[in-house]
Short mmCIF file of all heavy atoms in Angstrom, two decimals:
data_model
loop_
_atom_site.label_atom_id
_atom_site.label_comp_id
_atom_site.label_asym_id
_atom_site.label_seq_id
_atom_site.Cartn_x
_atom_site.Cartn_y
_atom_site.Cartn_z
N GLU A 57 61.45 -129.18 68.03
CA GLU A 57 60.80 -129.37 66.73
C GLU A 57 59.54 -128.53 66.52
O GLU A 57 59.39 -127.90 65.50
CB GLU A 57 60.50 -130.86 66.50
CG GLU A 57 59.77 -131.08 65.21
CD GLU A 57 60.47 -132.06 64.29
OE1 GLU A 57 61.31 -132.83 64.76
OE2 GLU A 57 60.16 -132.04 63.11
N PRO A 61 59.64 -119.93 68.70
CA PRO A 61 60.43 -119.03 69.55
C PRO A 61 59.65 -117.77 69.92
O PRO A 61 58.83 -117.29 69.13
CB PRO A 61 61.64 -118.68 68.68
CG PRO A 61 61.65 -119.66 67.56
CD PRO A 61 60.27 -120.18 67.39
N SER A 76 47.70 -135.05 57.72
CA SER A 76 48.36 -136.22 58.29
C SER A 76 49.60 -136.54 57.46
O SER A 76 49.72 -136.13 56.30
CB SER A 76 47.41 -137.42 58.27
OG SER A 76 47.27 -137.88 56.93
N THR A 81 52.22 -136.83 52.34
CA THR A 81 53.16 -137.55 51.48
C THR A 81 52.52 -137.84 50.11
O THR A 81 53.14 -137.67 49.06
CB THR A 81 53.58 -138.86 52.17
OG1 THR A 81 54.11 -138.53 53.46
CG2 THR A 81 54.63 -139.61 51.37
N GLY A 118 41.99 -113.77 36.55
CA GLY A 118 42.22 -112.32 36.55
C GLY A 118 43.17 -111.82 37.63
O GLY A 118 43.36 -110.63 37.79
N TYR A 121 50.37 -111.25 39.64
CA TYR A 121 51.33 -111.03 40.72
C TYR A 121 52.67 -110.67 40.12
O TYR A 121 53.18 -111.37 39.24
CB TYR A 121 51.43 -112.31 41.54
CG TYR A 121 52.18 -112.21 42.86
CD1 TYR A 121 52.36 -111.00 43.52
CD2 TYR A 121 52.70 -113.35 43.44
CE1 TYR A 121 53.02 -110.95 44.73
CE2 TYR A 121 53.36 -113.32 44.65
CZ TYR A 121 53.53 -112.11 45.30
OH TYR A 121 54.19 -112.08 46.51
N LEU A 136 43.66 -130.40 43.36
CA LEU A 136 44.15 -130.69 44.71
C LEU A 136 44.55 -129.40 45.44
O LEU A 136 44.31 -129.26 46.63
CB LEU A 136 45.35 -131.64 44.66
CG LEU A 136 45.04 -133.09 44.30
CD1 LEU A 136 46.33 -133.88 44.09
CD2 LEU A 136 44.18 -133.74 45.38
N MET A 167 65.70 -120.46 49.43
CA MET A 167 65.15 -119.14 49.13
C MET A 167 65.79 -118.13 50.07
O MET A 167 65.83 -118.35 51.28
CB MET A 167 63.63 -119.15 49.31
CG MET A 167 62.99 -117.88 48.83
SD MET A 167 61.19 -117.85 48.95
CE MET A 167 60.70 -119.15 47.88
N ALA A 184 50.11 -117.99 54.05
CA ALA A 184 50.08 -119.32 54.66
C ALA A 184 50.99 -120.23 53.87
O ALA A 184 50.95 -120.23 52.64
CB ALA A 184 48.66 -119.88 54.64
N HIS A 195 64.02 -119.37 58.64
CA HIS A 195 64.62 -118.38 59.53
C HIS A 195 63.84 -117.08 59.43
O HIS A 195 63.39 -116.71 58.35
CB HIS A 195 66.07 -118.08 59.11
CG HIS A 195 67.01 -119.21 59.34
ND1 HIS A 195 68.24 -119.28 58.75
CD2 HIS A 195 66.90 -120.32 60.11
CE1 HIS A 195 68.86 -120.38 59.14
NE2 HIS A 195 68.07 -121.03 59.96
N LYS A 197 64.12 -112.87 60.64
CA LYS A 197 65.04 -111.83 61.14
C LYS A 197 64.26 -110.54 61.35
O LYS A 197 63.62 -110.03 60.42
CB LYS A 197 66.17 -111.61 60.13
CG LYS A 197 67.15 -110.55 60.58
CD LYS A 197 68.53 -110.73 59.96
CE LYS A 197 68.52 -110.46 58.48
NZ LYS A 197 69.85 -110.68 57.88
N VAL A 207 62.32 -121.86 62.72
CA VAL A 207 61.17 -122.75 62.89
C VAL A 207 61.33 -123.91 61.92
O VAL A 207 61.66 -123.71 60.75
CB VAL A 207 59.84 -121.99 62.60
CG1 VAL A 207 58.66 -122.94 62.61
CG2 VAL A 207 59.63 -120.86 63.61
N MET A 217 51.71 -116.83 58.49
CA MET A 217 52.39 -115.58 58.86
C MET A 217 51.29 -114.52 58.91
O MET A 217 50.66 -114.22 57.90
CB MET A 217 53.46 -115.22 57.84
CG MET A 217 54.64 -116.19 57.85
SD MET A 217 56.00 -115.62 56.81
CE MET A 217 55.68 -116.56 55.31
N GLN A 228 63.67 -116.57 55.38
CA GLN A 228 64.39 -117.31 54.33
C GLN A 228 64.28 -118.80 54.62
O GLN A 228 63.98 -119.22 55.73
CB GLN A 228 65.87 -116.92 54.31
CG GLN A 228 66.67 -117.39 55.53
CD GLN A 228 68.19 -117.34 55.32
OE1 GLN A 228 68.67 -117.02 54.24
NE2 GLN A 228 68.94 -117.66 56.36
N SER A 231 69.79 -123.23 52.50
CA SER A 231 70.13 -124.58 52.04
C SER A 231 70.43 -125.45 53.27
O SER A 231 70.77 -124.94 54.34
CB SER A 231 71.34 -124.52 51.11
OG SER A 231 72.45 -123.97 51.79
N THR A 243 52.50 -121.76 49.14
CA THR A 243 52.40 -120.47 49.84
C THR A 243 51.20 -119.71 49.29
O THR A 243 51.24 -119.16 48.18
CB THR A 243 53.71 -119.65 49.74
OG1 THR A 243 53.95 -119.26 48.40
CG2 THR A 243 54.89 -120.45 50.25
#
Side-chain angles (χ1 to χ4, degrees):
E57 177 124 19
S76 72
T81 305
Y121 191 22
L136 288 172
M167 188 177 297
H195 291 163
K197 180 155 69 182
V207 173
M217 292 188 262
Q228 69 164 356
S231 60
T243 66

